[in-house]
């Protein structure tokens, strides 16, 4: 949801800003803009993806050793050049980039208009540049003017501000939107997340809410909102710049799917940490998962595992609906938050509420992200940076952590642990089916709807398969519990609606297969996913086969890989860029 970068360097900053902002494009691709400061503010911005705007404007062609940049996922104001960041003040002496939402912008804007300020955009952001202008006109320096400004803002923001009055510095501020500082011998950086500066430095400082930053080439000063200096630790990021590159693949999504066997191994290496965290849990008699989107589907797998293998009452709550359930929390509930980014606004709001009553655990991919500072316990999923907007490898890594957690919650379930290590070996074979999946995809480029059905542990697999399809192919996909189809949706089935049937071996196999027969006898076109020794499935034409050792308990971990590839290739056949699906952004930092 918007990405920002800023840097003060010993050289022209625009080329570095452009490269950095490209790595944040997964946060939004409605528009892009850069501004630098010399004796004036130099600005280039436009509507569209970065490469489109760059072709027209040559974005790196700006002088100045201090600058800021932004990619936008529009909230207030349409995605137009006028609304693209950076936004300046009336005199074009101040320029700012912002990620977040200013809740009280209407009142502030009206007051500023009454005082004579002229607005050029429809954004909430522009009030910030005019407020800073107002305070600088009262002889405040840039830092003090930003300090006064943030005290007037209600809402979420990560900000970077430059001014012709103090051309060698950037002032930043963070509240409820992610912002990190990077330090290097060539200068210093501010960015929404670490991927933006991986090529420049590995040394970062994670900022907390209500902190101000003064950044020059040689110095970083971090302060609270009363300008008291704060001591912050410099940490070293373990991710590499190559991890955030396509590495020869056509798309990040495909690269990230291919990384899944490695990610399974990496996540399994968290076993001893998970074991020690489980030992620290207080007594609890109920588990409650909270998450959004794909992370919600991983949580549902967790619910099925915990309730069926351990028998502990478990709920899964959408983070955006959490408010309605908060009264059920108590000190005997363990609340588990699953989030790839650690920055999802709804999830962050929920954890703050949960912390008041219950013990909390975050399962998260991005080190140092906001949720890691809220949770009582943190498990990292070790998937590496995920750039494709559709979550793939991080889903697998979340699942592995959940399975490990379940194994240790059920007194070191050796059988489950052994199976997990076996899965890690089997995952390598799966990608060999890629060409076959690509061929299947070609038959489904023109359909309007898809059903995905699965039972038990694989009902969430059906939901996740359908979500992948929707987000990157724009085809309507609906995940359904296999047994539920006949309670309504069966009325929709005909030869025009393909059905993905998830029928791994196990106790539910026969019931799910029967449900597929019901569809088949009504003319439905089914793609079967099942074991390669299942005779009924072997005789089908349209099928994707798996090692029979992948039973229904383990299928969520591997069957989903084929469904990710199916969605990917349908997207390619339809001429869509799966890394940048329309209307979506990777990190949803607004409510
Ligand atoms: C789907 C997808 C989203 C995210 C959701 C939660 O492919 O990526 O549905 O899963 O926005 O994001 P996190 O996990 O970062 O909280």
């Amino acid at each position: 949801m918007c990405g920002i970068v800023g840097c003060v360097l010993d050289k022209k900053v625009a080329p570095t800003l452009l490269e950095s902002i490209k790595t944040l494009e997964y946060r939004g691709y409605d528009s892009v803009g850069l501004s630098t400061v010399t004796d004036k503010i130099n600005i280039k911005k436009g509507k569209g993806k970065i490469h489109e705007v760059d072709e027209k404007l040559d974005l790196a062609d700006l002088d100045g050793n201090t600058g800021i940049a932004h990619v936008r996922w529009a909230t207030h104001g349409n995605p137009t050049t006028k609304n693209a960041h950076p936004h300046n003040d009336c005199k074009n002496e101040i320029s700012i980039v912002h990620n977040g939402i200013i809740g009280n912008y209407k009142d502030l804007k009206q007051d500023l208009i009454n005082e004579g300020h002229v607005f050029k955009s429809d954004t909430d952001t522009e009030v910030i540049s005019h407020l800073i202008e107002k305070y600088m006109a009262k002889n405040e320096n840039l830092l003090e003017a930003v300090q006064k400004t943030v005290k007037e803002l209600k809402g979420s923001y990560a900000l970077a501000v430059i001014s012709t009055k103090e051309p060698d510095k950037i002032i930043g501020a963070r509240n409820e939107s992610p912002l990190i500082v990077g330090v290097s011998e060539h200068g210093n950086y501010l960015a929404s997340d670490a991927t933006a500066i991986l090529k420049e430095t590995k040394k970062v400082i994670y900022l907390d809410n209500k902190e101000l930053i003064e950044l020059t080439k040689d110095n970083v000063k971090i302060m609270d909102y009363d300008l008291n200096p704060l001591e912050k630790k410099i940490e070293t990021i373990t991710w590499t710049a190559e991890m955030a590159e396509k590495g020869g693949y056509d798309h990040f999504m495909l690269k990230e799917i291919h990384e899944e066997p490695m990610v399974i191994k990496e996540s399994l290496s968290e076993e001893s940490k998970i074991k020690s965290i489980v030992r620290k849990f207080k007594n609890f008699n109920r588990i409650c998962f909270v998450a959004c989107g794909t992370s919600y589907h991983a949580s549902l797998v967790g619910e099925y595992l915990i309730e069926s293998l351990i028998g502990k009452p478990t709920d899964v709550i959408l983070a955006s609906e959490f408010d309605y359930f908060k009264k059920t929390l108590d000190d005997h509930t363990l609340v588990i938050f699953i989030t790839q980014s650690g920055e999802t606004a709804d999830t962050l709001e929920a954890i703050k509420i949960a912390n008041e009553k219950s013990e909390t655990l975050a399962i998260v991919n991005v080190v140092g992200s906001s949720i890691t500072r809220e949770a009582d316990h943190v498990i990292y999923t070790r998937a590496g940076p995920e750039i494709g907007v559709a979550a793939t490898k991080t889903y697998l890594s979340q699942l592995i952590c959940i399975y490990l957690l379940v194994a240790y919650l059920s007194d070191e379930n050796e059988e489950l642990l052994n199976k997990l290590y076996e899965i890690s070996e089997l995952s390598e074979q799966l990608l060999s089916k890629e060409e076959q999946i690509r061929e299947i995809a070609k038959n489904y480029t023109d359909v309007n709807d898809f059903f995905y059905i699965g039972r038990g542990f694989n009902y969430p697999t059906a939901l996740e398969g359908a979500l992948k399809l929707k987000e990157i192919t724009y085809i309507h996909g609906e995940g359904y519990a296999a047994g539920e189809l006949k309670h309504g949706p069966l009325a929709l089935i005909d030869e025009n609606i393909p059905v993905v049937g998830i029928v791994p071996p196990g106790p539910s196999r026969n019931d799910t297969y029967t449900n597929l027969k019901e569809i088949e006898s009504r003319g439905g076109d089914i793609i079967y996913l099942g074991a390669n020794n299942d005779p009924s499935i072997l005789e089908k034409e349209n099928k994707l086969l798996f090692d029979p050792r992948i039973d229904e308990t383990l299928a969520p971990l591997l069957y989903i890989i084929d469904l990710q590839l199916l969605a990917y290739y349908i997207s390619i056949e339809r001429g869509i860029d799966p890394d940048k699906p329309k209307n979506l952004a990777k990190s949803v930092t607004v409510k």
Side-chain angles (χ1 to χ4, degrees), residues 292-295 339-342 344 389-391 398 467-468 471 588:
C292 307
T294 290
S295 301
T339 166
Q340 181 281 130
S341 62
T344 301
V389 164
Q398 291 171 344
L467 177 63
K468 290 295 88 107
E471 56 184 338
V588 187

Side-chain angles (χ1 to χ4, degrees), residues 214-352:
E214 186 177 58
L215 207 80
T216 60
K217 180 174 83 57
D218 302 310
N219 199 27
V220 174
K221 209 165 131 192
I222 299 174
M223 295 147 279
D224 64 19
Y225 275 12
D226 295 320
L227 302 187
N228 300 307
L230 299 169
E231 283 293 322
K232 304 281 286 194
K233 202 164 108 206
I234 298 184
E235 303 195 35
T236 306
I237 323 172
T238 53
W239 290 0
T240 64
E242 295 72 45
M243 282 171 152
E245 283 167 4
K246 280 191 203 153
Y249 287 93
D250 289 343
H251 296 98
F252 280 109
M253 181 174 176
L254 190 59
K255 178 192 173 222
E256 286 156 3
I257 294 173
H258 276 259
E259 285 171 350
E260 287 178 332
M262 184 186 78
V263 163
I264 294 178
K265 288 199 175 81
E266 287 287 320
S267 297
L268 281 171
S269 70
E270 288 302 284
E271 184 187 338
S272 58
K273 280 196 202 132
I274 292 175
K275 184 177 176 177
S276 68
I277 284 178
V278 167
R279 286 195 182 132
K280 288 186 201 144
F281 288 152
K282 296 188 203 123
N283 239 344
F284 62 89
N285 52 25
R286 172 189 175 222
I287 291 180
C288 181
F289 285 95
V290 183
C292 307
T294 290
S295 301
Y296 173 76
H297 296 153
S299 306
L300 286 175
V301 176
E303 179 187 24
Y304 275 95
L305 288 169
I306 294 168
E307 295 212 326
S308 68
L309 301 184
I310 311 179
K312 260 257 183 263
T314 304
D315 296 293
V316 185
I317 301 172
L318 286 166
S320 54
E321 299 283 316
F322 185 73
D323 215 41
Y324 299 92
F325 300 90
K326 63 186 180 198
K327 286 196 176 147
T328 69
L329 298 187
D330 57 27
D331 56 1
H332 292 297
T333 308
L334 172 69
V335 192
I336 304 178
F337 293 83
I338 313 271
T339 166
Q340 181 281 130
S341 62
E343 301 293 351
T344 301
D346 291 320
T347 311
L348 285 175
E349 188 167 299
I351 197 170
K352 286 180 187 145

Side-chain angles (χ1 to χ4, degrees), residues 35-285:
S35 64
T36 61
V37 52
T38 49
D39 54 343
K40 60 183 190 332
I41 296 289
N42 312 290
I43 185 162
K44 290 191 181 196
K45 60 181 182 175
K47 171 180 173 350
K49 299 195 172 119
I50 298 180
H51 71 273
E52 296 162 352
V53 179
D54 190 31
E55 257 164 42
K56 280 190 231 141
L57 302 181
D58 192 4
L59 291 168
D61 185 29
L62 286 173
D63 285 333
N65 293 7
T66 304
I68 53 180
H70 187 272
V71 279
R72 179 162 188 251
W73 186 87
T75 55
H76 293 67
N78 295 340
T80 58
T81 296
K82 169 178 93 162
N83 291 330
H85 297 215
H87 290 289
N88 293 356
D89 65 322
C90 296
K91 294 192 259 126
N92 290 321
E93 290 175 347
I94 295 158
S95 192
I96 76 146
V97 287
H98 165 224
N99 169 30
I101 289 184
I102 305 304
N104 59 337
Y105 86 99
K106 279 195 183 140
D107 293 343
L108 292 170
K109 185 169 178 173
Q110 196 50 57
D111 291 348
L112 287 158
I113 290 172
N114 295 345
E115 289 165 24
H117 290 261
V118 178
F119 280 73
K120 300 180 202 92
S121 76
D122 309 318
T123 63
D124 53 336
T125 299
E126 200 184 337
V127 294
I128 304 172
S129 38
H130 291 280
L131 277 173
I132 298 170
E133 175 183 20
K134 170 177 150 181
Y135 288 114
M136 286 189 88
K138 292 181 181 166
N139 281 334
E140 304 280 6
N141 65 31
L142 184 59
L143 174 64
E144 289 161 353
V146 175
Q147 178 214 16
K148 298 247 157 40
T149 297
V150 292
K151 288 195 169 181
E152 290 205 35
L153 303 179
K154 292 202 176 87
S156 58
Y157 48 84
L159 291 179
V161 186
I162 55 175
S163 162
T164 52
K165 299 261 172 67
E166 296 172 53
D168 301 324
K169 70 174 62 150
I170 298 175
I171 303 296
R174 173 199 157 127
N175 188 45
E176 309 289 353
S177 289
L179 192 62
I180 61 155
V181 169
V183 289
S184 89
E185 59 197 32
H186 297 292
N188 296 311
Y189 310 79
L190 274 177
S192 296
D193 67 44
T195 42
I197 53 168
L198 282 178
K199 273 198 183 140
E200 309 299 321
T201 181
K202 292 276 164 47
K203 304 270 174 227
V204 298
I205 302 170
Y206 295 107
L207 299 172
D208 287 295
N209 286 337
K210 301 214 183 302
E211 289 185 351
L212 284 160
I213 310 100
E214 186 177 58
L215 207 80
T216 60
K217 180 174 83 57
D218 302 310
N219 199 27
V220 174
K221 209 165 131 192
I222 299 174
M223 295 147 279
D224 64 19
Y225 275 12
D226 295 320
L227 302 187
N228 300 307
L230 299 169
E231 283 293 322
K232 304 281 286 194
K233 202 164 108 206
I234 298 184
E235 303 195 35
T236 306
I237 323 172
T238 53
W239 290 0
T240 64
E242 295 72 45
M243 282 171 152
E245 283 167 4
K246 280 191 203 153
Y249 287 93
D250 289 343
H251 296 98
F252 280 109
M253 181 174 176
L254 190 59
K255 178 192 173 222
E256 286 156 3
I257 294 173
H258 276 259
E259 285 171 350
E260 287 178 332
M262 184 186 78
V263 163
I264 294 178
K265 288 199 175 81
E266 287 287 320
S267 297
L268 281 171
S269 70
E270 288 302 284
E271 184 187 338
S272 58
K273 280 196 202 132
I274 292 175
K275 184 177 176 177
S276 68
I277 284 178
V278 167
R279 286 195 182 132
K280 288 186 201 144
F281 288 152
K282 296 188 203 123
N283 239 344
F284 62 89
N285 52 25

